[in-house]
Amino acid sequence: MFLDFFDEPTDSPRRNRNGIYETYTYDFGPNKQVRVILLDLRYNKDRYNGRRDPSGDFLGEEQWIWFERVLRESSAQVHLIGSSIQTLPELREIGETWSRFPSARQRLFDLFAKTKVRTPILLSGDVHFSEVNMAHCTDTRSDSSVTNAWNLLEVTCSGLTHSWGYIDTRYESKIRYLLLAGMYIFQAIIPLRYQAVNDKGISELYLERAFGELHLDWDAQNVTVRIFGVASSDPVIERTVAFSQLGNHKHEGDITHTKCEPHRGQPHIVVVSVSFALTFLVMLSPFVLIIFCVVKAIVFLFKKCFGRRRSRAEPKHGRRNDNKKFE
């Protein structure tokens, strides 16, 4: 159905695959080649089993083999890898991320390192907001020596029609500001260390409807990421990264393992636990306040209603006592 909707040729190899993954090459001149790789994370995806499932996989073995072959055979200077869900961010396992299947996520990092892919840039969506994430990776050779470090960039931009800051349905629009406030609280308190920050130390995050663009400067050998709001002419997020900082294609030796961590450092488990607890309490507080007010109103009405009945009954009782006394 998907392939028919997009008028995929009847003899397309995609029609014979277990999934709709594909790759395209764009040539802009000598040493100016871009390889776009679109992965399919739905067709072969395993069921989620808990918050994290080490045995789970998104791609399936057939797609993994195809993906590795594409990377090894590619001579492109820039590789854009499309993923329907986020790859780098952790601490978001309530939704869908590669971190839900940590072994598959690690296999992806190892594959980038072993194939020495040039300038890998991850493109993702799904979360209904826009941000830029960066991982700092180090490789381990077969002789256990550590090679030079490299970075992995991920650009998330979603979406044009829906976002945390914009909901077009009449009912949900009434709770728009509550949803928006909740997301801002989550982003502010949880230590999301993959998230890039600007010169002022503020996270590069945008919760309204948006679209993104990548500007490849072949002369300066860098890529500039720009995120635009649907109603803005200037970018709300902008970051420039040199090609040389992305990927490990200049490194030598056989690589057995690569370790990718947040570019701002891994948060301590105590910090993570406290931040989640604090976020839970803050986001729960409006509901607690509502329940408290409802209970107070019920108690007030109860006292007012039954208090009147009692006050009416007490004088009669008092008069009977007075009569008895008088007699």
Side-chain angles (χ1 to χ4, degrees):
M1 184 181 295
F2 178 92
L3 299 178
D4 291 339
F5 181 83
F6 285 99
D7 295 326
E8 189 77 10
T10 55
D11 59 347
S12 171
R14 301 175 84 184
R15 293 188 178 274
N16 298 319
R17 294 174 182 158
N18 292 320
I20 57 174
Y21 50 91
E22 186 56 288
T23 180
Y24 303 92
T25 302
Y26 298 91
D27 200 333
F28 300 99
N31 297 318
K32 298 179 181 179
Q33 197 175 76
V34 177
R35 192 73 178 258
V36 177
I37 304 171
L38 304 178
L39 301 176
D40 186 342
L41 277 71
R42 292 294 182 191
Y43 194 94
N44 299 288
K45 173 182 163 296
D46 293 331
R47 289 181 177 273
Y48 291 124
N49 184 18
R51 182 169 170 262
R52 292 192 180 191
D53 182 6
S55 63
D57 188 21
F58 287 108
L59 303 186
E61 196 59 32
E62 179 183 309
Q63 188 173 181
W64 278 113
I65 294 172
W66 170 87
F67 189 24
E68 181 173 355
R69 186 179 71 252
V70 168
L71 293 179
R72 289 191 183 278
E73 295 176 354
S74 176
S75 58
Q77 284 68 49
V78 176
H79 293 80
L80 306 179
I81 298 100
S83 171
S84 56
I85 60 176
Q86 288 190 305
T87 307
L88 296 181
E90 296 177 302
L91 307 178
R92 289 176 179 167
E93 288 83 357
I94 296 175
E96 288 196 278
T97 66
W98 274 79
S99 59
R100 295 286 298 270
F101 294 155
S103 297
R105 181 172 178 265
Q106 182 59 50
R107 184 176 180 178
L108 182 69
F109 297 155
D110 290 341
L111 184 61
F112 288 153
K114 290 177 182 179
T115 57
K116 299 181 181 179
V117 58
R118 296 169 64 92
T119 318
I121 301 174
L122 294 162
L123 305 177
S124 60
D126 179 64
V127 291
H128 301 288
F129 60 83
S130 302
E131 66 178 353
V132 176
N133 289 284
M134 183 85 76
H136 183 72
C137 306
T138 52
D139 300 327
T140 303
R141 294 176 178 167
S142 55
D143 59 359
S144 298
S145 63
V146 178
T147 69
N148 294 328
W150 55 281
N151 296 317
L152 183 58
L153 175 68
E154 179 173 7
V155 182
T156 300
C157 187
S158 68
L160 275 172
T161 58
H162 293 76
S163 70
W164 281 92
Y166 176 85
I167 304 172
D168 62 0
T169 57
R170 182 176 300 179
Y171 172 75
E172 290 183 333
S173 63
K174 296 177 181 178
I175 60 172
R176 170 181 180 266
Y177 292 106
L178 182 61
L179 293 173
L180 192 61
M183 178 53 68
Y184 269 121
I185 291 170
F186 177 84
Q187 297 284 347
I189 299 177
I190 301 299
L192 304 172
R193 300 295 178 83
Y194 284 100
Q195 201 173 71
V197 295
N198 58 24
D199 296 336
K200 298 179 181 179
I202 301 173
S203 296
E204 294 185 327
L205 172 74
Y206 189 66
L207 299 183
E208 300 288 346
R209 292 179 297 164
F211 63 93
E213 72 171 25
L214 297 177
H215 176 73
L216 302 174
D217 190 329
W218 300 105
D219 295 326
Q221 289 290 286
N222 62 37
V223 55
T224 299
V225 179
R226 296 190 182 99
I227 304 295
F228 293 87
V230 293
S232 65
S233 57
D234 296 324
V236 293
I237 297 176
E238 185 171 10
R239 172 168 289 264
T240 300
V241 183
F243 291 166
S244 58
Q245 295 181 16
L246 303 174
N248 67 342
H249 60 279
K250 294 183 179 180
H251 299 172
E252 298 180 355
D254 295 329
I255 297 170
T256 58
H257 178 74
T258 189
K259 184 177 182 180
C260 292
E261 294 184 321
H263 77 109
R264 291 160 57 195
Q266 195 76 288
H268 195 278
I269 185 62
V270 175
V271 175
V272 174
S273 301
V274 171
S275 63
F276 266 101
L278 183 60
T279 302
F280 178 77
L281 290 175
V282 171
M283 297 182 73
L284 191 64
S285 58
F287 300 99
V288 174
L289 181 61
I290 292 172
I291 293 172
F292 175 77
C293 293
V294 170
V295 172
K296 287 286 289 183
I298 292 173
V299 171
F300 173 78
L301 292 174
F302 181 85
K303 287 183 176 179
K304 191 172 183 180
C305 179
F306 287 91
R308 284 182 177 178
R309 291 184 179 180
R310 188 175 179 183
S311 62
R312 290 174 182 175
E314 281 178 354
K316 293 179 181 179
H317 182 68
R319 282 195 296 271
R320 283 199 300 268
N321 289 342
D322 291 343
N323 291 336
K324 286 182 181 179
K325 263 184 186 178
F326 182 74
E327 289 173 1

